[in-house]
């Protein structure tokens, strides 16, 4: 049975920077949970960041740039938290490799997990095209990454 990596916040776990979650009510996700297919991950928490924590954004770049060391992840006080985001991404990748996972459903717009969009790095609320650090690293290693808005597509890949 193929398993899928899922952002913990999408499963209702209160791991977001503000102590909240982004719980998703979806029949496919419920089916995956019932079948024992879900492997939960929160890259920031797994890397040692606290709950709650200051919000963080990738500064005018994307996760690929962070992995290339040409961009940073800063919190809203200006503290460089890049190392946490890289460590969390590496741990998520290690989990995928250890368990043979080839599909991930991650929280959109997160500096770790965003698969199509991110906040612009100015804490303005503006979103720009891009991917988070974890999403980028997983994709670079052949793992298909989807957002919570693409669960049906993720399911098709999972069962193919």
């Amino acid at each position: 049975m193929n398993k899928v990596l899922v952002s913990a916040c999408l499963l209702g776990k209160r791991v977001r920077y503000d102590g909240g979650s982004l719980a998703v009510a979806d029949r496919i996700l419920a089916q995956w949970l019932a079948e024992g297919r879900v492997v939960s991950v929160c890259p920031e928490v797994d890397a040692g960041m606290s709950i709650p924590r200051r919000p963080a954004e990738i500064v005018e770049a994307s996760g690929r740039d962070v992995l290339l060391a040409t961009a940073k992840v800063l919190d809203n006080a200006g503290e460089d938290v890049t190392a946490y985001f890289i460590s969390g991404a590496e741990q998520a990748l290690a989990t995928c490799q250890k368990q043979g996972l080839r599909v991930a459903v991650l929280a959109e717009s997160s500096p770790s997990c965003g698969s199509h969009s991110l906040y612009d790095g100015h804490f303005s609320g503006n979103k720009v095209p891009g991917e988070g650090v974890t999403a980028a690293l997983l994709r670079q290693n052949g793992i298909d990454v989807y957002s919570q808005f693409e669960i049906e597509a993720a399911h098709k890949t999972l069962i193919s």
Side-chain angles (χ1 to χ4, degrees):
M1 170 178 47
N2 295 327
K3 293 187 177 186
V4 58
L5 190 76
V6 178
S7 291
C9 62
L10 301 179
L11 300 171
K13 296 181 181 175
R14 301 178 61 86
V15 294
R16 286 178 34 98
Y17 75 93
D18 59 3
S21 75
L22 290 175
V24 172
D26 181 271
R27 66 174 179 76
I28 294 172
L29 182 57
Q31 175 186 337
W32 290 344
L33 287 163
E35 293 171 349
R37 291 182 184 263
V38 172
V39 177
S40 174
V41 65
C42 177
E44 295 98 324
V45 173
D46 294 344
M49 296 185 87
S50 65
I51 307 166
R53 56 190 170 275
R54 291 185 183 120
E57 296 183 6
I58 300 172
V59 182
E60 297 181 358
S62 73
R64 289 178 191 252
D65 302 307
V66 173
L67 294 170
L68 292 169
T70 61
K72 295 181 180 183
V73 185
L74 301 179
D75 70 20
N76 67 348
E79 182 179 341
D80 185 345
V81 293
T82 304
Y84 286 109
F85 282 79
I86 292 172
S87 174
E90 290 170 344
Q91 290 178 55
L93 176 60
T95 297
C96 289
Q97 291 172 332
K98 182 178 181 182
Q99 297 197 32
L101 308 180
R102 58 186 180 88
V103 176
V105 175
L106 304 178
E108 190 60 83
S109 303
S110 157
S112 283
C113 298
S115 57
H116 302 292
S117 69
L118 301 169
Y119 290 97
D120 66 8
H122 297 287
F123 301 94
S124 63
N126 294 324
K127 293 181 184 178
V128 295
E131 61 189 348
V133 180
T134 298
L137 186 62
L138 294 181
R139 283 183 171 144
Q140 286 176 5
N141 285 274
I143 297 163
D144 292 314
V145 178
Y146 299 90
S147 77
Q148 69 266 37
F149 308 112
E150 302 171 305
I151 292 175
E152 188 170 330
H155 184 66
K156 288 178 182 175
T157 300
L158 185 68
I159 62 172
S160 66

